[in-house]
Amino acid sequence: MPSIPTGVRGARFTGWGTALGHRLVTNDDLAATIDTNDQWIRERTGIERRHVGGTNAELSSASGAAALAMAGVDPLSVDALVLATTTPDRAVPATSSTVQARLGLRCGAFDVNAACSGFVYALVNAHGLVAMGAERVLLIGTDILSRITDWDDRNTAVLFADGSGAALLEAGPGQLLGWDLDADGTLEEILYCDHGGFIQMNGKEVFKRAVRIMVDSAQKSMKHAGVTADQVSLIVPHQANIRIVQAACDRLDIPMDRAAMCIQDTGNTSSASIPLALFRAADEGRIARGDLVLMVGFGAGMTAASAIIEWGGH
Ligand code: COA
């Protein structure tokens, strides 16, 4: 992957927002219908509860509207909408078109499907649009995994849920210092979902590969950015399983108290998981201007993506 050329026009987040599925589902709720229990789910995954329900356009519009309001920008001044998702409301058109209309935007809109790495893929593309002249890009990551989850399958039902996170990216002091996008299509069969079907997963295999590719991608981004692990103030990993995060952080030499986690409350929300964890940390005051934040995701495909940003731009 290339490094960022010097002199390229930069961008930084000026507003953000999040939304969760309408209905709270606890581990005990799941244990009432499938052969599982709260203790197993907490210990093996870190998940305590999750939210399900709502359409992709509903959750995307809610998080997107919050991001625009926080940034205080006129929707008509947004130059592009990029929606990372694996679960669009329709096959055609892209859900970004529906969201564009709901938010009153008048700009290009497109979906990006890179499974759970989607938000970071979209983030890198959105920075590319700014480098090409866009002033403002609305970036959203949303998934409605409850739609493609078999609620009778305990292998997957305990993991997946619905959510959305959005950020307004505005041209200005650049925040992106390094990035990496990766995929290995030969691993398609360990995690996939056919049209009209449910998620099929070889959990053990995904676990093993996930740790490896997260570490590899994070190291590439750090190298491109000229940043070492001890300089990273906060790592924002894809929220799939707390044990995957622990294993990756261990190998990266980043202590877990520097990891942004929300999996206990959200489960795995795919494209929404990194923005949900990132903006929760920001809202809790865990990130200060100038802090280096490492985002790293992995997902079906098997995709991996990471980015180092300097909070507030440099
Ligand atoms: N509730 C209770 N028991 C369960 C269970 C559940 N939901 N699922 C499996 N078990 C049981 C198994 O039957 C097995 O029992 P046994 O020892 O008597 O045979 C035991 O728990 C261990 O099962 P195993 O499959 O080895 O568990 P695990 O530690 O590998 O955890 C996952 C399973 C799915 C949580 C884990 O492999 C994982 O998170 N993989 C990655 C998945 C992922 O991240 N997917 C999305 C990628 S974006």
Side-chain angles (χ1 to χ4, degrees):
M1 276 294 160
S3 297
I4 300 167
T6 46
V8 81
R9 200 159 96 116
R12 81 274 188 230
F13 297 142
T14 56
W16 55 83
T18 60
L20 292 172
H22 302 323
R23 191 164 58 88
L24 177 71
V25 177
T26 64
N27 292 344
D28 285 334
D29 291 334
L30 292 178
T33 54
I34 48 176
D35 181 16
T36 189
N37 59 76
D38 178 54
Q39 189 189 355
W40 190 95
I41 302 171
R42 280 176 195 250
E43 287 178 4
R44 306 310 292 166
T45 72
I47 299 168
E48 298 172 15
R49 59 189 74 81
R50 75 284 290 141
H51 296 75
V52 301
T55 67
N56 189 317
E58 274 168 13
L59 298 197
S60 297
S61 301
S63 67
L68 292 174
M70 180 176 168
V73 305
D74 179 353
L76 295 177
S77 72
V78 174
D79 295 312
L81 166 62
V82 188
L83 171 63
T85 189
T86 271
T87 49
D89 286 334
R90 290 177 154 163
V92 176
T95 301
S96 48
S97 287
T98 314
V99 177
Q100 184 242 31
R102 286 191 183 204
L103 292 177
L105 309 179
R106 298 281 179 276
C107 61
F110 60 99
D111 288 7
V112 169
N113 178 354
C116 304
S117 307
F119 187 79
V120 181
Y121 263 76
L123 174 89
V124 173
N125 277 282
H127 278 85
L129 289 171
V130 173
M132 288 294 101
E135 284 293 329
R136 293 181 190 84
V137 180
L138 182 60
L139 170 65
I140 307 179
T142 303
D143 267 305
I144 310 293
L145 292 179
S146 62
R147 250 187 218 155
I148 57 168
T149 300
D150 178 354
W151 292 98
D152 293 327
D153 173 15
R154 72 175 185 172
N155 292 319
T156 50
V158 299
L159 300 175
F160 299 120
D162 307 338
S164 176
L168 188 75
L169 196 64
E170 291 196 70
Q175 64 179 14
L176 187 62
L177 306 185
W179 56 275
D180 173 67
L181 304 182
D182 202 359
D184 181 353
T186 66
L187 298 173
E188 180 170 344
E189 297 306 318
I190 65 174
L191 182 57
Y192 66 91
C193 178
D194 284 322
H195 285 297
F198 294 125
I199 297 171
Q200 306 295 320
M201 181 182 79
N202 177 339
K204 274 195 192 314
E205 202 56 32
V206 171
F207 193 116
K208 202 169 68 189
R209 305 273 181 178
V211 175
R212 215 178 287 161
I213 63 178
M214 273 176 91
V215 170
D216 178 63
S217 184
Q219 284 172 337
K220 284 180 185 152
S221 277
M222 288 193 287
K223 188 165 174 234
H224 289 157
V227 162
T228 51
D230 57 302
Q231 294 175 290
V232 172
S233 305
L234 192 73
I235 179 170
V236 188
H238 171 45
Q239 312 281 305
N241 184 322
I242 196 166
R243 292 186 296 130
I244 293 177
V245 176
Q246 284 162 342
C249 283
D250 199 39
R251 279 163 216 207
L252 287 167
D253 216 8
I254 298 178
M256 272 303 279
D257 63 2
R258 280 197 262 141
M261 297 303 300
C262 65
I263 193 172
Q264 63 280 11
D265 298 322
T266 62
N268 180 346
T269 56
S270 192
S271 305
S273 93
I274 286 179
L276 284 174
L278 174 65
F279 298 129
R280 173 186 281 202
D283 289 339
E284 288 173 350
R286 288 182 68 189
I287 319 176
R289 194 181 173 124
D291 279 354
L292 298 183
V293 177
L294 167 61
M295 289 173 243
V296 56
F298 66 90
M302 269 199 88
T303 57
S306 60
I308 293 264
I309 63 167
E310 180 178 331
W311 197 252
H314 58 272

